[in-house]
Amino acid sequence: MPKTFEWLTYQKWSREFDSDIIYLRVLQTNIVVLNSHRAVRDLLENRSSIYSDRDRLVMMNTLMGWNIMFAFNPYGEKWREERRYFHQAFSPSVLNQYRPRLSSETGKLLKRLIDDPHDFMDHIRTTTGAIILGITFGMKIQGLKDPYVVLAEKALHGIAMAGNAGSYLVDFFPLLRHLPDGFPGTKFKREASEWSRYVSQMFTRPFELVQHKLNNGEAEPSILASLLTRLDPNKDNSHEESVIRGVTGAAYVAGADTTVSSLQTFILAMLLYPDVQKRAHEEIDRVVGTDRLPEFEDQDRLPYVMSIMMETLRWRNVLPLAISHRLMVDDEYRGYQLPAGTLVVANTWAILHDEKTYPNPDVFDPSRYLKPDGQLNPNAPTPTEAAFGYGRRICPGRHFALESLWIMIAYVLATLQIDKATDANGEVIEPSSDYTSGMLSYPVPYKASFTPRSAASNALIENLGIAD
Ligand code: HEM
């Protein structure tokens, strides 16, 4: 089994064998990789009642403790109940109330990018962390390297490393976990023990902080505070509290570090494709002008900005293999027998880089979503159908993620000129276009420079208030 950048190997095999379905058998585990939108739609979407279970990954769930999060839970009552709560907190109908925070935190990001471009990748993380921690727990972060943002980064690193099928041998040989510590080949136990601490802290610390503040009447409005205050104080609420802890913890985990990767990709694309940036500047100046920032109400009038967001999600994928689904009963597809328990891996990368749907797939080209008149083409393929996963497991935070991404991209394009950084001798530093491998994929750190596009942009940013 490929150990890194599996999506590229699966895509290569799919081409070599001229088959969008690949079957692998690793010891007792059957793995089926789906490399086309058609196969994914037929199985994960149209048959989603039997394709929505999750793998019982020993490393992730048993050793690191990720079974606390419904994203990794089997298809069953706990998953259903927590997903229902989660959906209520992040459904399109409630997103309006989060917009002021999205705008204000994004405003602070602009200032941080100009003042300290050196750490811009961390500033992006700080901003997405501030947004999700504010909305979910009413927390204010402490600026760069805030402990709660760092905690999320560390915990998510564990998911990135262990989340894909086959990342750790112990997933195929569960007995390995009984080997004594320090025995050769047990590095995974040390890693799991460290990562499990972060997982547990993410699900306890902010929860207890808000509970404490609620008891003292000091809690800021938040999803957690509103869920807890709805509980009947005359009842035993231990079950509900555990559900609420799971749901808000899941928002923190899934919300803090996913959008980060997409935004870092967006900045990279602007460095590599200056003409795209120029065209976006022109659209914003024409539609919004230069004396105010774009707002959510402008979305429909900024089709090129919308296309940049879609192309960002297509060009480089945050979860190139989504999260594996697990088949619950025997099934048959195109004459193939698929036994119950088969792990089904959707190769999102292959789907979003299929040249039949996206000609020149390696090129960042937002115009692929537009009609010749510059308006959005309703018949163009929509990468968001694959980037956020499939069927009953589709990302329930996707509407919120799209709002967050859109406002950040629009604010940055409206006010800043993004260029390649230069070194002390004035030589341009070419950005690395490499990505990390793992369940979550991020751009390898690179440098960029940010300058206000004009005196008017500078004034807009200055008027947004002081960054933390
Ligand atoms: C660019 C940003 C994001 C991308 C690309 C993304 C993508 C995904 C993908 C591919 C999955 C797996 C779907 C599957 O199994 O088929 C997923 C699951 C999930 N996402 Fe997101 N996501 C993003 C942001 C968010 C945010 C901001 C939140 C929370 C506010 C969130 C919450 C979740 C949760 C809770 C699940 C687990 C769903 C389940 O297993 O039922 N995601 N996401």
Side-chain angles (χ1 to χ4, degrees), residues 2 5-24 32-40 321 334 336 345-356:
F5 300 100
E6 301 94 305
W7 48 94
L8 298 179
T9 308
Y10 295 148
Q11 184 191 40
K12 187 166 128 275
W13 287 347
S14 165
R15 285 176 179 151
E16 279 170 15
F17 292 112
D18 192 20
S19 170
D20 56 343
I21 310 172
I22 299 171
Y23 167 74
L24 294 96
V32 164
V33 186
L34 307 176
N35 290 281
S36 71
H37 192 246
R38 176 187 161 206
V40 160
L321 296 177
R334 294 197 226 153
Y336 297 113
V345 177
N347 192 349
T348 300
W349 174 273
I351 295 169
L352 293 178
H353 292 80
D354 176 352
E355 47 276 289
K356 286 196 239 38

Side-chain angles (χ1 to χ4, degrees), residues 44 54 69-73 79 83 86 90 132 136 247 250-256 258-260 262 313 317-319 321-325 346 348 386-398 400-402 404-405:
L44 301 190
R54 289 281 195 230
M69 176 163 168
F70 71 89
F72 303 108
N73 283 167
W79 168 78
R83 187 160 166 126
F86 192 96
F90 288 99
I132 202 71
T136 313
V247 169
Y252 176 20
V253 173
T258 39
T259 339
V260 170
S262 292
L313 287 162
N317 314 135
V318 184
L319 288 101
L321 296 177
I323 306 176
S324 325
H325 290 221
T348 300
F388 290 106
Y390 311 96
R392 294 186 189 182
R393 287 286 184 161
I394 192 170
C395 173
R398 64 195 181 285
F400 176 70
L402 289 172
S404 315
L405 268 179

Side-chain angles (χ1 to χ4, degrees), residues 347-411:
N347 192 349
T348 300
W349 174 273
I351 295 169
L352 293 178
H353 292 80
D354 176 352
E355 47 276 289
K356 286 196 239 38
T357 319
Y358 300 100
N360 300 321
D362 295 328
V363 175
F364 187 93
D365 178 12
S367 68
R368 59 177 91 240
Y369 311 106
L370 299 174
K371 294 187 291 186
D373 68 0
Q375 294 305 308
L376 282 176
N377 179 354
N379 302 319
T382 27
T384 45
E385 282 177 4
F388 290 106
Y390 311 96
R392 294 186 189 182
R393 287 286 184 161
I394 192 170
C395 173
R398 64 195 181 285
H399 305 291
F400 176 70
L402 289 172
E403 293 240 313
S404 315
L405 268 179
W406 187 85
I407 199 75
M408 294 193 217
I409 290 176
Y411 268 31

